[in-house]
């Protein structure tokens, strides 16, 4: 397994180009199987999860080519309605093929995604909503067996604004008979990007980005060329890198409006963040102060940035509290940060961070995608050498992280353990 060796203490300076969004690319790639014509997607990041999604599309009967310049071409062949366990267990987002398969074929056999490091992550809200559209499910040896005639439009109210649930239903409803209303729908920008892609293929979706989305079913979807949005969580992670190292970065191809809650918190900590052509400038030359953070569905502070801002708070002055409301077990990075000298007290969904820590390099273990990012951030600041192990977690969601960081002065290298 690969690991990263990082010498801390360098103030990062220079330019970082933000890649395409992982969490927009995954549902859009899967939605492409619903199109009767060829789909070309631009700005797709080179990530492990993208590779896994293309493997899933191949198993489902699609042909795809990922060519050099971040472009993916997909053509759906004779679809096969089965997503096997040994693939789904490596990427729970595979469950997003449920809606498209039911809409296209009227049947689906998708392995039930297990839990993962950050929580149980059931899919009950996806299934209940699809049942309202006429699908029937049963569970057989760990597989969700789904079947339906043509899905019919329904008025669905989600108990929780589930991102994946909203995405599954957007895709299913696009080819259903009649109108579907999704209430308490997720408002994340990646959901909006999926809706915009589906509309580019001829779907009739309105209200994306708000909590009430209307979809009028059509009989078929055409192919299209579509550019995936930039990755707001990758961008937020590099804002945290500029903050924690007291650096001065220019992030290009960088979202801004979609990061409002994150930017507001970093500004409150004393970080300068503003649009400066051709990108977004991040400067942190003075002392930072801790803030309080509650993770919430969009447009609140994103849970996917919780681990990263915790690392920055460890070295800021004062103290602050982080409350994680989306996942039940998303503080594992805290235990590793404590091993580097951070002063964090965990109590249920709350973490109290006493700032002003002198972080010291240490061997640490990544446990999930964003936890690994937070350990890299801490290592960039820590005195001495840090070894971040199990960075396959990082490779799932960050394109060429060590290259982007070393391009701004970080002393970082990857070691491949044979
Ligand atoms: C998406 O996961 C993202 N993944 C996650 O990013 C992100 O953390 C999450 O949304 C919240 O923003 C992708 O987009 C591929 P949810 P998803 O359905 O769709 C519960 C990353 O780091 N829930 O909004 O799985 C669930 O258990 C990843 O890039 C149910 O109870 O998120 C969780 O506690 C990590 N029943 C909460 O809702 C359901 O049927 C949020 O889940 C569905 C969800």
């Amino acid at each position: 397994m690969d690991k990263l060796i990082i010498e801390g203490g360098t103030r990062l300076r220079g330019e970082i180009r933000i890649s395409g969004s992982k969490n927009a690319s995954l549902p859009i790639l899967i939605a492409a199987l619903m199109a009767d014509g060829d789909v070309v997607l631009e700005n797709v990041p080179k990530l492990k999860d993208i590779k896994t999604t293309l493997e899933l599309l191949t198993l489902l009967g699609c042909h795809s080519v990922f060519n050099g310049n971040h472009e993916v071409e997909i053509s759906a062949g004779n679809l096969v309605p089965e997503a096997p366990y040994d693939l789904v267990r490596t990427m729970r987002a595979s469950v997003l093929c449920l809606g498209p398969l039911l809409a296209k074929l009227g049947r689906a056999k998708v392995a039930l995604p297990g839990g993962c490091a950050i929580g149980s992550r059931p899919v009950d809200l996806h299934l209940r909503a699809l049942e309202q559209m006429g699908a029937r499910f049963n569970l057989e040896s760990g597989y969700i067996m789904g079947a339906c005639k043509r899905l019919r439009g329904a008025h669905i109210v989600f108990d929780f604004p589930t991102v994946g649930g909203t995405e599954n239903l957007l895709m299913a409803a696009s080819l259903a008979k009649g109108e579907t209303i999704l209430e308490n729908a997720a408002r994340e920008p990646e959901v909006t990007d999926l809706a915009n892609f589906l509309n580019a293929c001829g779907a009739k979706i309105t209200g994306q980005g708000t909590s009430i989305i209307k979809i009028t079913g059509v009989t078929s979807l055409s192919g299209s060329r579509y550019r995936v949005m930039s990755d707001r969580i990758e961008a937020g992670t590099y804002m945290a890198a500029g903050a924690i190292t007291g650096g001065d970065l220019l992030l290009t191809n960088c979202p801004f409006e979609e990061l409002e809650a994150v930017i507001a918190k970093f500004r409150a900590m004393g970080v300068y963040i503003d649009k400066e052509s051709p990108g977004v400038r991040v400067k942190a030359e003075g002392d930072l102060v801790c803030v309080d953070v509650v993770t919430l569905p969009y447009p609140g502070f994103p849970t996917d940035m919780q681990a990263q801002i915790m690392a920055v708070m460890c070295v800021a002055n004062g103290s602050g509290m982080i409350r994680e409301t989306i996942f039940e077990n998303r503080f594992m990075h805290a235990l590793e940060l404590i091993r580097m000298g951070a002063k964090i007290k965990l109590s249920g969904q709350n973490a109290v961070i006493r700032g002003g820590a002198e972080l010291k390099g240490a061997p640490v273990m990544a446990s999930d995608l964003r936890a690994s990012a937070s350990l890299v951030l801490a290592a960039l600041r820590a005195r001495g050498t840090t070894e971040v192990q199990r960075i396959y977690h990082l490779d799932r969601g960050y394109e060429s992280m060590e290259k982007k960081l070393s391009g701004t002065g970080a002393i970082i290298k990857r070691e491949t353990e044979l």
Side-chain angles (χ1 to χ4, degrees):
M1 281 187 262
D2 288 8
K3 57 187 173 184
L4 285 179
I5 316 291
I6 300 166
E7 284 302 321
T10 311
R11 289 175 184 269
L12 301 187
R13 290 203 190 317
E15 195 172 303
I16 294 179
R17 179 176 168 70
I18 302 303
S19 300
S21 164
K22 165 179 91 80
N23 289 351
S25 298
L26 299 186
I28 291 173
L29 281 165
I30 293 175
L33 73 78
M34 301 168 73
D36 291 341
D38 292 351
V39 167
V40 178
L41 298 178
E42 299 169 358
N43 198 33
V44 178
K46 276 194 176 13
L47 298 170
K48 178 81 181 64
D49 274 9
I50 299 296
K51 185 166 170 291
T52 306
T53 305
L54 295 180
E55 283 163 11
L56 172 64
L57 286 178
T58 305
L59 287 174
L60 295 174
C62 299
H63 176 70
S64 64
V65 176
F66 198 158
N67 57 34
N69 51 350
H70 293 94
E71 216 170 75
V72 179
E73 294 164 34
I74 303 134
S75 48
N78 298 325
L79 292 179
V80 171
E82 178 167 347
Y85 174 66
D86 58 3
L87 190 136
V88 173
R89 70 183 168 78
T90 64
M91 189 184 71
R92 57 172 276 104
S94 313
V95 76
L96 291 175
C97 69
L98 202 50
L101 289 174
L102 288 170
K104 280 295 273 186
L105 298 179
R107 58 201 165 89
K109 179 181 177 187
V110 179
L112 193 61
C116 68
I118 59 179
S120 56
R121 301 179 75 185
V123 288
D124 53 317
L125 302 179
H126 302 229
L127 302 181
R128 292 301 78 74
L130 289 165
E131 281 172 344
Q132 274 189 256
M133 299 185 72
R136 287 291 164 264
F137 296 104
N138 55 54
L139 203 51
E140 271 168 39
S141 45
Y143 276 80
I144 304 167
M145 312 293 286
C148 63
K149 293 192 178 63
R150 189 179 175 196
L151 291 170
R152 55 179 191 277
H155 186 152
I156 292 155
V157 184
F158 283 117
D159 294 351
F160 175 85
T162 156
V163 171
T166 305
E167 290 168 343
N168 239 331
L169 272 290
L170 270 180
M171 294 185 279
S174 294
L175 288 177
K177 186 173 181 334
E179 181 174 84
T180 298
I181 293 175
L182 303 181
E183 263 192 69
N184 198 22
R187 299 172 54 189
E188 272 70 3
E190 296 77 19
V191 174
T192 299
D193 216 24
L194 169 64
N196 294 342
F197 165 70
L198 288 165
N199 282 346
C201 297
K204 290 192 172 57
I205 302 169
T206 56
Q208 56 270 40
T210 76
S211 52
I212 300 181
I213 302 178
K214 280 200 182 105
I215 307 108
T216 306
V218 294
T219 50
S220 69
L221 294 172
S222 64
S224 76
R225 173 177 282 271
Y226 188 81
R227 182 177 177 78
V228 170
M229 65 179 276
S230 295
D231 194 313
R232 63 189 170 105
I233 303 300
E234 185 199 22
T237 304
Y238 288 117
M239 288 178 181
I244 201 168
T245 60
D248 182 352
L249 295 174
L250 183 70
L251 307 181
T252 57
N253 196 36
C254 181
F256 192 82
E257 288 68 25
E258 297 87 345
L259 275 166
E260 214 170 298
V262 172
I263 290 169
K265 284 296 173 187
F266 279 136
R267 282 174 170 166
M269 293 184 77
V271 183
Y272 168 85
I273 301 183
D274 216 342
K275 284 182 182 173
E276 272 190 26
S277 173
V280 175
R281 189 78 175 273
V282 182
K283 261 194 332 190
E285 274 151 4
D287 282 351
L288 300 181
V289 291
C290 284
V291 290
D292 291 338
V293 173
V294 181
T295 65
L296 287 168
Y298 193 86
F301 190 93
T303 175
D304 290 352
M305 274 299 300
Q306 180 257 107
Q308 296 92 312
I309 201 165
M310 182 185 282
V312 184
M313 281 168 60
C314 292
V315 300
N317 294 328
S319 65
M321 185 162 98
I322 294 180
R323 183 166 173 68
E324 171 57 61
T325 71
I326 307 293
F327 290 106
E328 68 264 27
N329 181 30
R330 201 170 195 175
F331 282 144
M332 268 143 341
H333 43 284
L335 306 177
E336 295 299 294
L337 292 170
I338 289 166
R339 296 184 57 248
M340 296 176 73
K343 293 173 276 183
I344 304 169
K345 277 259 176 298
L346 296 179
S347 143
Q349 298 294 90
N350 298 326
V352 177
I353 296 96
R354 282 219 314 280
E358 263 296 303
L359 297 180
K360 292 187 201 61
V364 289
M365 187 86 73
S367 53
D368 64 85
L369 169 55
R370 308 302 173 182
S372 13
S374 109
L375 299 179
V376 171
L377 293 170
L380 291 170
R381 170 68 179 249
R383 203 157 24 83
T385 306
T386 299
E387 204 180 84
V388 183
Q389 294 158 11
R390 296 193 182 175
I391 53 158
Y392 58 85
H393 291 291
L394 208 61
D395 295 337
R396 295 189 54 172
Y398 289 96
E399 186 176 20
S400 329
M401 181 180 249
E402 67 265 31
K403 202 155 140 265
K404 294 186 178 186
L405 287 172
S406 48
T408 58
I411 303 167
I412 179 171
K413 70 177 182 346
R414 177 185 288 255
E415 252 181 36
T416 302
E417 280 178 354
L418 300 170

